[in-house]
Amino acid sequence: MKLQKANAPLLRKVNQSRIRQALWKLREATKYQLAQETGLSQMTVNNVLAGLQENGEAEEEGRMPSEGGRPSTLYRYRGSYGHALALYSFQDRGRSLVRLHVIDLLGNCVYQDNAWFNLLQPDSFGKMLEKAFQAVAGIRLIGFGLPGEAVGEEITLCDHKTLLGTELLQGCRKKYGVPAVFYNDINATVYGYYRRLFGEGNCSYPVSGIYFPRNFPPGMGLIVNGSPYLGHCSFAGEIGSLPFGTDWFALDYEDRDQVRSAIGDLLAIVCSVAAPGRCALYGDFFIPEDRESILERARTRLGGGYEVFAEILSSPEKDYELGIEELLLRTLRRQLFGDPTDWAQEAAGKAGNKEKIRC
């Protein structure tokens, strides 16, 4: 990315962010390695590194073994410079299990807690949050994983009706002085499934996941181009009314024929609309024999013209945990490191649209 000289302050911010990103990615590196990774001059690297050390974001880690010349100093990115708090709920036998994890910028869990609730309300999380903020310094972001949707700081849709409104997210921001964000539970779960399969790489086809919690209608997550696809008003994935005529509340999840027919029909609709290459089916009622029967039902509905790889998983817990932590880290890194799109918009605004950024 090249900036015109008139945008010197923005250029300094961009260079700082590029070196930050490089050091975070490499975990530890010499000044020469950072210059190679970013394409920036040694002088720029020196200046930025000095600033990162001064604010506690980077530190010397020792020296790289010499190959005949003077040993080079290694610098390490300090994961403890920033922390994110993930707080997310599961349904289990009619009660809500809430887990809390605090992770550093390198993804290491430094604190965890959990609690059971019969009814979730905005003040239910208070004691857990207080303990976490007392135990860990530098928490810069709170992320809630819940079955619902939010617009800004207002929870507009949630299976836990008592959480609707602005009290939870707005209250956390005001009390703790950090942003509080909302992640839909199934979107986070399927993002975790995606990251477990492909890491930080990209996949050429959509990846979907459907969760069947029994006491609520099913929900779907869809990953497109490496990110959760939300759709208009975050409505993508609200599939509880499909297939039309299926009453998910009345479905007997112990009746194998009912389960296989209903889920096979639903999978056929998902394949027709989203065309995923892989689909995870989450439910504690599944048995191994269900998979092929569900796929055969979907194939029949689709006339044999489409094949999807479907995987049956008894619990979404591991993917949910991975997904919400990865989404939180992505949000936190953007908050701390910046984003090229933001820089382009900022530069265009400052230059009065007369100077351009070339990426």
Side-chain angles (χ1 to χ4, degrees), residues 103-289:
I103 53 176
D104 68 14
L105 271 164
L106 302 180
N108 302 311
C109 181
V110 299
Y111 177 87
Q112 55 186 324
D113 193 7
N114 63 78
W116 289 91
F117 297 91
N118 291 319
L119 178 67
L120 286 181
Q121 302 185 82
D123 61 0
S124 298
F125 313 106
K127 289 184 179 179
M128 298 177 76
L129 288 167
E130 288 282 356
K131 288 168 59 179
F133 272 84
Q134 290 172 6
V136 182
I139 296 176
R140 300 172 182 268
L141 180 66
I142 301 171
F144 288 94
L146 293 163
E149 300 294 346
V151 177
E153 292 184 330
E154 181 182 3
I155 299 175
T156 56
L157 176 69
C158 190
D159 291 342
H160 307 284
K161 305 299 184 186
T162 49
L163 298 180
L164 294 172
T166 61
E167 186 177 350
L168 178 60
L169 301 182
Q170 197 174 91
C172 284
R173 175 180 57 78
K174 290 180 177 179
K175 183 170 184 177
Y176 299 105
V178 300
V181 295
F182 187 103
Y183 300 109
N184 173 267
D185 57 350
I186 186 61
N187 285 339
T189 298
V190 182
Y191 185 67
Y193 177 68
Y194 179 91
R195 290 297 297 268
R196 180 163 60 84
L197 292 178
F198 304 105
E200 294 189 10
N202 208 347
C203 178
S204 60
Y205 50 77
V207 173
S208 65
I210 308 174
Y211 177 40
F212 301 89
R214 293 198 194 216
N215 51 333
F216 294 107
M220 185 185 80
L222 184 67
I223 308 300
V224 178
N225 295 326
S227 295
Y229 177 74
L230 305 180
H232 179 56
C233 296
S234 297
F235 198 76
E238 297 300 318
I239 58 172
S241 298
L242 298 173
F244 295 116
T246 298
D247 186 345
W248 294 102
F249 289 107
L251 186 69
D252 181 358
Y253 283 92
E254 304 306 322
D255 184 322
R256 307 327 303 172
D257 289 336
Q258 276 194 49
V259 165
R260 291 166 179 174
S261 296
I263 296 178
D265 290 348
L266 180 59
L267 182 59
I269 294 173
V270 170
C271 291
S272 297
V273 175
R278 296 181 72 108
C279 182
L281 303 175
Y282 299 96
D284 60 7
F285 54 86
F286 282 122
I287 61 175
E289 293 77 15

Side-chain angles (χ1 to χ4, degrees), residues 37-54:
E37 179 75 17
T38 62
L40 298 172
S41 70
Q42 192 86 24
M43 180 179 295
T44 299
V45 172
N46 287 341
N47 291 336
V48 172
L49 261 182
L52 296 183
Q53 287 180 273
E54 187 176 343

Side-chain angles (χ1 to χ4, degrees), residues 17 33 70 86 97 126 134 165 178 201 219 233 305 310 316 341:
S17 187
Q33 288 171 330
R70 183 179 177 182
L97 171 61
Q134 290 172 6
V178 300
C233 296
T341 303

